[in-house]
Amino acid sequence: MTDWSTLTDACGTAEHVPSLLDRFEADPNGVRSEVMDHLCPQLDTAFPASYEALPRLAQIASACGPEDLTSVLLAAGAIAACSPGLSEPDSPLTVYSAPIGVLHMLTDRHLRRAVEAGEYVDLLQSLLSFEGAEIWDRCLDGLHSGEYEVVCPHCGVNMFIVLGQDGYFCCTDDYALGEVEKSPLQPVRAQDLTGLPRRLFTRAVADGQEELAHGIPYLFGRTACPDCGTDFSVAERVVAGWTL
């Protein structure tokens, strides 16, 4: 039996967390923001009580209906994304591997039902977080928003990577304000994708997310800085920006 009074969340002692999770179970969509305020504020910080809540979140997810499941899976996914990697001693991903396995299975199933692209990307990131896939479990959202901000590896200028209805290009000025100098993105051929990029592409296609799938070869492709002409990997600059 967990002694919650010995654990902490974002507000101090976690003795109130069991009752908070009871309310979350009764109304996942209505209580999710409060749960996140206590267990994973700003979606980037977790606490001992956050990880201890994972078994209960797995139980809640297993019992709730499709209309509430997304809220539970995203809450658990945000917590898992904060965990040290599987290579770290006593990683919560290892300590709580059983409930995380349940959450992963439910997310995998629920992804196939997601229709809206934003929800799909959020769930896909949760799926990766339960697997311990660092970085990409937090920065796929640009595939939906259509934009990443990165820095040139040579001259240091800030750049926009644009993926979507406005085209597939790199620029250094706000492209929404008018004509700007653009460098086209050079996608990897779909058949040449390997590892995680190939898995993401194949999964998005299989789940009917064709627009998202179309952007993945560009995200893992190359382009050049419009200012200095330096060629670079788009994905490497996205990762570099996240790890700063």
Side-chain angles (χ1 to χ4, degrees), residues 216-241:
I216 290 171
Y218 290 92
L219 175 58
F220 291 94
R222 305 190 69 84
T223 190
C225 173
D227 280 19
C228 71
T230 298
D231 175 83
F232 61 88
S233 160
V234 175
E236 286 180 4
R237 298 318 299 163
V238 171
V239 170

Side-chain angles (χ1 to χ4, degrees), residues 8 11 13 16 28 61 80 100 130 161 174 184 203-204:
T8 56
C11 300
T13 177
H16 64 284
I100 285 175
F130 297 137
I161 300 295
D174 189 343
R203 180 66 193 255

Side-chain angles (χ1 to χ4, degrees), residues 92-212:
L93 296 176
T94 301
V95 174
Y96 299 96
S97 61
I100 285 175
V102 172
L103 291 162
H104 182 276
M105 175 195 66
L106 293 171
T107 306
D108 183 60
R109 291 178 180 175
H110 197 51
L111 259 175
R112 303 186 183 103
R113 304 188 187 103
V115 175
E116 200 274 322
E119 179 186 8
Y120 183 86
V121 168
D122 289 342
L123 286 168
L124 187 59
Q125 291 186 141
S126 288
L127 188 76
L128 295 179
S129 74
F130 297 137
E131 298 172 1
E134 299 179 82
I135 305 297
W136 292 110
D137 62 348
R138 297 184 181 221
C139 59
L140 287 177
D141 55 321
L143 282 172
H144 171 57
S145 67
E147 181 180 292
Y148 287 96
E149 291 189 47
V150 302
V151 174
C152 174
H154 180 70
C155 69
V157 68
N158 291 323
M159 301 177 291
F160 295 101
I161 300 295
V162 180
L163 307 157
Q165 62 182 7
D166 292 311
Y168 295 85
F169 58 87
C170 171
C171 63
T172 56
D173 296 310
D174 189 343
Y175 57 93
L177 298 179
E179 290 298 321
V180 297
E181 185 176 355
K182 303 174 181 178
S183 294
L185 303 186
Q186 304 297 333
V188 179
R189 294 191 307 169
Q191 59 267 38
D192 292 335
L193 289 169
T194 60
L196 179 62
R198 180 164 186 79
R199 182 184 165 208
L200 294 174
F201 177 80
T202 303
R203 180 66 193 255
V205 170
D207 290 339
Q209 298 288 338
E210 289 85 2
E211 186 173 347
L212 291 175

Side-chain angles (χ1 to χ4, degrees), residues 60-83:
I60 294 172
S62 297
C64 71
E67 67 281 0
D68 296 319
L69 185 54
T70 296
S71 286
V72 183
L73 295 176
L74 294 186
I79 293 169
C82 297
S83 171

